[in-house]
Amino acid sequence: MRTEPAPDHQGTPPPGPAGPTLLTAAERQHLAQEDRRDLRRLLVVLVLAVLAGAVPAAAYLPSPGRVDHLLGRDVATHAEVVAVHPDGRCGRSSSRFRVEVRYDVGSGPRLGSYRECGAVPGRGALITVWVGPAGTVEDRSPAYDRVGLAASSLVIAGLPVAVGWLVVGRPRRLRRLLREADRDGVGVAAEDTVTVRGLRVPRVVPVRPLQHPPAPEYGFEAITGRDMVRAELGSTPDPAARRWRMRLLPPHRPLRRLVLLEHEGTRIWGAVDLRERPTLSARIRPGRP
C-alpha cells in the first residue's frame, strides 16, 4: 500500500526536490572563502585610510604653536610687515619667504615672523595676524586652517578607500549577483564559442569563420578561478587557439553579463563587458577609422 507524505500542521506539503543550480559545491565554497578574505582586505583598507588621513596633521602639528592655533587660543591683531627674507623653496615652482612683522597685543610692540610660500605682502603693508600664547605668529585664521586640514585629510584618506572599492567592492558585488542568479534558478540565455586572450587583463573573442570580419574583443573579469585563467593560458603555446564554451546568463545590465567559461572540465565564472573592443587586426583594416 502506497502512502503520500503528510502535510505539515499548516497544510503545506513538504518541499519537492531542488531544481538545477548554476554553482557547484566547490564554487560556493570558493565564494565563501573570498567573502572571508574581504573582511581582512576591508581591515587593511581601513588602516590605510586612517594612516593616510593622518598625514596632513602629522605634517602640520609639529610646528610650534599650531595646536594652540587650531584650538583658538591665539589673538587676532593688526601687524606691520617690517622685512621679508627668502627662506628656501616650496617645491620646484614656488619660493618660500620669512615675513617679519611688528604687532601690539596690549603689552607693547613686539616682533614676530611667519613663513609663507608664493606671494607675500611687501614691507610696510598692514595685515592681520594671529598671535599664540607663546608668541608664535600665523597669517591665517584658525577656522581657515581647520577647514584646510580636514579637507586635506579627507581627500588623502579617500584615495585608499577608492582603491579598496575597486579591489573589494566590485568583486564582492559580482559574487552577490552570481549568488542571486544561482538562488533564483536562472537559466542560460545564450551560448557561444570564444577564445580567451591576455593573462593579466583577460578578454574573450568570439570564434568566427575565416571569411567573416575579425571578431571584436570583450572585456572579461573573473569571479571564480582567477588563477585558472593564467594557468590555462600560460600552459598553452598559443593561447589564442584555446577555445572555451561561453554561456551567457540573462543580463542584469544591458552591456554587462554574467558568463560561465568551460574548457575540458575547467569552469570559470566571470562578467563580460559587451562594449566592443576591436582587435588589432580590425583596427588596421583599410577603410576603417
Side-chain angles (χ1 to χ4, degrees):
M1 179 177 179
R2 189 177 68 179
T3 60
E4 296 292 335
D8 58 16
H9 64 282
Q10 294 180 346
T12 304
T21 58
L22 296 174
L23 301 175
T24 65
E27 289 167 345
R28 294 192 185 93
Q29 183 179 6
H30 170 81
L31 296 181
Q33 290 173 348
E34 287 296 311
D35 287 343
R36 289 192 292 270
R37 292 191 184 102
D38 278 350
L39 296 178
R40 295 193 292 270
R41 297 184 184 114
L42 289 173
L43 179 60
V44 171
V45 170
L46 178 61
V47 171
L48 291 177
V50 171
L51 293 177
V55 168
Y60 177 88
L61 293 178
S63 298
R66 290 288 174 80
V67 174
D68 289 331
H69 182 62
L70 289 180
L71 295 178
R73 295 173 180 169
D74 43 13
V75 177
T77 184
H78 296 294
E80 179 185 359
V81 177
V82 296
V84 177
H85 305 285
D87 190 39
R89 302 191 65 82
C90 299
R92 296 181 179 179
S93 59
S94 178
S95 298
R96 183 174 57 188
F97 299 92
R98 182 169 59 88
V99 182
E100 294 184 0
V101 296
R102 181 187 294 112
Y103 61 90
D104 187 351
V105 291
S107 56
R110 292 188 179 184
L111 293 177
S113 65
Y114 66 90
R115 287 173 172 79
E116 182 63 51
C117 294
V120 294
R123 181 178 179 179
L126 295 178
I127 61 175
T128 300
V129 296
W130 284 259
V131 182
T136 56
V137 177
E138 298 288 342
D139 65 322
R140 290 182 292 266
S141 70
Y144 182 94
D145 281 5
R146 289 176 197 142
V147 172
L149 190 60
S152 300
S153 298
L154 289 175
V155 170
I156 296 178
L159 295 178
V161 172
V163 174
W165 181 86
L166 293 175
V167 173
V168 179
R170 283 169 54 90
R172 190 175 183 87
R173 182 174 182 277
L174 290 176
R175 292 198 300 272
R176 178 177 60 81
L177 293 174
L178 184 55
R179 283 195 181 93
E180 291 176 356
D182 180 54
R183 181 195 61 202
D184 297 340
V186 173
V188 176
E191 297 186 8
D192 202 352
T193 302
V194 299
T195 60
V196 181
R197 298 177 181 172
L199 296 179
R200 298 187 62 84
V201 184
R203 300 175 303 277
V204 297
V205 185
V207 175
R208 292 186 179 180
L210 294 178
Q211 66 271 22
H212 283 209
E217 294 181 352
Y218 300 112
F220 176 77
E221 182 177 355
I223 304 174
T224 65
R226 292 183 179 88
D227 297 333
M228 293 181 189
V229 175
R230 299 183 182 181
E232 289 288 326
L233 298 181
S235 62
T236 307
D238 183 11
R242 179 67 66 87
R243 295 189 174 188
W244 297 71
R245 183 183 183 187
M246 183 175 73
R247 299 185 179 186
L248 286 86
L249 271 60
H252 60 278
R253 286 186 182 178
L255 295 175
R256 192 166 179 82
R257 305 283 290 275
L258 294 177
V259 300
L260 171 63
L261 295 181
E262 293 181 296
H263 174 80
E264 296 181 355
T266 299
R267 289 165 52 98
I268 300 175
W269 283 99
V272 167
D273 184 355
L274 294 180
R275 287 172 289 194
E276 182 175 331
R277 300 182 182 183
T279 61
L280 177 62
S281 58
R283 286 197 292 265
I284 64 177
R285 286 184 62 212
R288 293 186 61 134

